[in-house]
Each structure stands twice: as C-alpha cells, then as structure tokens.
Amino acid sequence: ELLAFLLDGIHEDLNRVRKRACIEEKDCNGTNDEGDAITAWSHYLLRNQSIIVDLFQGQLRNTMSCRNKQPDGTHGCGHVNVKFDPFMYLSLPISDKCNSLDDCLDLFCEEELLAGDEQWYCPKCKTHVNATKKIDLFMLPPILIIHLKRFKFSMNGQKSKIDRSIRYPLDDWNLKNMKKSESGIYPLYDLYAISHHKGNVASGHYTAHAKNRFDGKWYNFNDSQCHRVDPLKEQLGSGSSAYCLFYNRVERVPQANGRHLEKKTVIRRQSISRPELWPHLQRAKAAEWKSVRTNDHVWDNVLEDDDDEEQNEKYNPGLSRITE
C-alpha cells in the first residue's frame, strides 16, 4: 500500500500534462486489439505523462464475455467487451498449487466466472448475466513490479499470511508467452531488488536484497545494516519471505565491435509528440501508425502527420518536442 501510494503521489506531482483532456473511452470487441490498445494508450497519455509512466506502467487487456443462457440451451449471446487498462504493478495471488512465479502469473490471468452477486451487465442482453472475465498482459513496462499477495482475509474477516515458498528467476525471466501483444520489444527481465517480509500478521520485519548496478553484486539491507552477500548462500530465487519483486527489462544490443550482444536497459520517455517511442511499436516509423483505427479526429491528425507539435501544444502548453 505504501509503495502504491508513493508512486501515485510522485506521478501526480510530476505529471507533465498541464491541461487534461476529457475523453470518453469506447468499448472494443476484440477484433482489432493492436489498434485499440494503441488508441487507449494515446488517450491515456493525453492525461498522464511522467517518469512514473515511463518506468513502471504497462497495459492490461480485460475481456468480458456474456454467458447468458439462450433459448436453444447454449450459453452466451456472443457479446464481448474488451478494455485496455494501464497498470503500475501486478498483484499476483498465491494458491496451494503455486510453486513458482509463473504459476502465480498463470493464476492471475486465469479466466474467472462471474455469477450470483457478481453478475455482469450485458449491453446486448440488457440485463445482468453470468459472464467470464479474463485479464491478460498486453504491454509490459521497463520496470516490472510484482507484489505477491501473501496476506488474505477469511470469510469471517480474520487476516492471515501465506508462507508458501515461491520460486522466482534472478535472470532472463522470459514473458514472451504471457505478453499477448505481437508488437513491442522482447519481454526479458532481470531481477534487481527484493522486499522480504518475515514474521506473521501480528508481528513482522521487513528486509531487502538489491543488486548494485555498478559492481553487479547483491547486497542485504536490514535496518541500518548493509553488507554484500552471495546470492547462492542467501538462497535468492526461492523462499517464503519474498513479498515484492522488482524486475528490470533488458534488451540485447550489439556492442561497439558488433560481435557480441550485451544486456542494456533502455527507458523511452512517453509523450504525445513521439508515438514511435510508445511501447507498442518502439523504434518503428511513425508512418506505420496510419493503420490505427480511430474515430477521434485529434488522433487522425496525430497519426497522419509526423509533426504533431501543434496538437501536443494544444493539450500540453509549453511542452517542447522531446527526444529519447
């Protein structure tokens, strides 16, 4: 909660958008996910541009499908509603079947049936119906924060902690199969920090491990004490105390000699005036964005014209063209 509060507060204080446009989001039907995701991100940037967006925010695809029983006995009227929502961190559930971080992520993305008091209003059936809800990772940020939901409430309101040991990768966490967008860069992540919680609900203690970006070594932080550690002896990569995991997306780029590839972190500032740096088609030519389907006349101008400084100035007075 504190981490989310701090990131939200920093974003609000450093938001580069001075005049926020009011945009009504339209429902999507899943037939043009790539284009609809780009449109949703562009609308989001009209209201939100900060270093927090640049570093930590990605995009989820939320799919709702009607499962209303039809006269012929089948389920579902065929209506599908898709929305693309930004996220700043992923809160992953832990079940008795979860042994690894991938298991927790699979559980997070598992299709859920909404019934009873949780029924969904279907605009086609014009009534509340049973429905399925599916969340997928669509676009991933440079820094991916994972929160493991180790605290839970029982039906009678009692709070308890889940001490199940979870394996998590230290290097080369490949999320290619989980990322549903076919655009953007390869989703490969290295771990650089871990926040631990040891103890129970009533009494606990927080410590941390972090990797020094200058010497590449791991260090333990425990109150005022800090010392270098061996990740093997510390058994980093698994355990029941890992609470928040911080992953850094890495790109393999050629070295100066052109013979070897090295891991490198690249952060691209998000702005209206540089759509080619948006995560959906980074490094691509802006002309490729002309195929994006949109009914918004503002974005027709943005996608058709490579120099959209006038439109950017319209929504962000005084904000000059930025570079990567």
Side-chain angles (χ1 to χ4, degrees):
E1 292 79 5
L2 175 60
L3 177 62
F5 176 79
L6 288 175
L7 291 178
D8 282 334
I10 294 173
H11 167 66
E12 290 300 324
D13 288 343
L14 300 182
N15 195 345
R16 300 188 292 267
V17 180
R18 301 177 186 179
K19 183 179 180 181
R20 302 186 183 184
C22 294
I23 299 176
E24 181 181 354
E25 295 292 344
K26 296 180 175 61
D27 292 339
C28 307
N29 58 14
T31 60
N32 185 32
D33 281 349
E34 297 291 342
D36 291 336
I38 292 171
T39 300
W41 186 253
S42 65
H43 288 172
Y44 182 70
L45 291 182
L46 285 175
R47 298 177 58 84
N48 301 274
Q49 296 179 44
S50 73
I51 191 172
I52 301 300
V53 176
D54 303 339
L55 293 176
F56 300 105
Q57 294 197 356
Q59 197 175 44
L60 297 175
R61 180 180 67 186
N62 192 331
T63 305
M64 301 290 296
S65 302
C66 175
R67 299 296 296 162
N68 190 20
K69 189 173 183 180
Q70 302 299 302
D72 60 0
T74 61
H75 291 271
C77 70
H79 182 74
V80 176
N81 178 276
V82 177
K83 288 188 176 181
F84 294 90
D85 301 312
F87 73 90
M88 192 152 47
Y89 58 91
L90 297 177
S91 289
L92 304 187
I94 302 175
S95 72
D96 293 337
K97 297 181 180 180
C98 292
N99 297 307
S100 68
L101 196 57
D102 287 327
D103 294 336
C104 298
L105 189 55
D106 287 338
L107 184 59
F108 175 79
C109 296
E110 191 174 87
E111 188 174 75
E112 177 185 4
L113 178 64
L114 303 182
D117 294 336
E118 296 182 335
Q119 282 190 327
W120 174 65
Y121 182 83
C122 175
K124 185 176 180 180
C125 297
K126 300 188 183 304
T127 186
H128 286 85
V129 301
N130 289 350
T132 56
K133 178 181 179 180
K134 179 78 166 63
I135 296 177
D136 293 302
L137 308 183
F138 202 79
M139 197 58 59
L140 297 170
I143 296 179
L144 180 60
I145 301 177
I146 302 294
H147 162 234
L148 293 175
K149 299 172 72 172
R150 291 198 174 275
F151 298 96
K152 66 177 182 178
F153 287 91
S154 64
M155 295 296 293
N156 58 8
Q158 294 294 319
K159 190 176 182 181
S160 61
K161 184 184 177 185
I162 302 174
D163 284 318
R164 188 172 184 81
S165 180
I166 299 295
R167 298 190 308 274
Y168 51 90
L170 299 182
D171 301 291
D172 296 334
W173 188 25
N174 188 346
L175 293 177
K176 180 181 179 181
N177 293 332
M178 297 301 298
K179 174 176 166 290
K180 298 307 178 183
S181 173
E182 297 179 358
S183 303
I185 62 176
Y186 200 88
L188 192 67
Y189 286 85
D190 286 351
L191 185 71
Y192 74 89
I194 314 163
S195 174
H196 301 273
H197 180 272
K198 299 178 181 179
N200 52 41
V201 175
S203 176
H205 181 64
Y206 287 94
T207 63
H209 284 95
K211 192 174 186 179
N212 188 308
R213 68 186 182 95
F214 296 106
D215 63 16
K217 306 300 181 181
W218 282 92
Y219 290 80
N220 175 267
F221 297 85
N222 188 349
D223 291 337
S224 61
Q225 300 180 4
C226 173
H227 60 277
R228 185 171 142 185
V229 297
D230 183 338
L232 294 178
K233 292 182 180 180
E234 292 285 296
Q235 296 183 330
L236 299 185
S238 67
S240 60
S241 64
Y243 187 43
C244 290
L245 304 169
F246 299 80
Y247 280 92
N248 196 57
R249 189 181 65 199
V250 293
E251 300 179 33
R252 298 189 183 276
V253 297
Q255 292 182 344
N257 57 21
R259 296 181 180 180
H260 301 285
L261 296 178
E262 64 175 344
K263 289 182 179 179
K264 187 176 181 180
T265 300
V266 179
I267 306 299
R268 300 174 176 90
R269 187 176 179 182
Q270 301 296 288
S271 74
I272 300 300
S273 61
R274 297 294 301 277
E276 71 272 18
L277 298 182
W278 295 350
H280 306 79
L281 282 177
Q282 289 168 347
R283 301 289 187 182
K285 295 181 180 179
E288 296 182 21
W289 296 68
K290 293 181 180 179
S291 62
V292 175
R293 185 184 66 196
T294 173
N295 295 321
D296 191 326
H297 71 280
V298 172
W299 284 103
D300 287 340
N301 292 335
V302 170
L303 300 177
E304 292 291 344
D305 188 357
D306 183 55
D307 187 3
D308 61 348
E309 197 67 30
E310 181 179 349
Q311 292 295 340
N312 190 52
E313 191 71 18
K314 176 181 178 181
Y315 291 102
N316 303 278
L319 182 63
S320 61
R321 178 177 288 276
I322 61 172
T323 58
E324 181 179 349

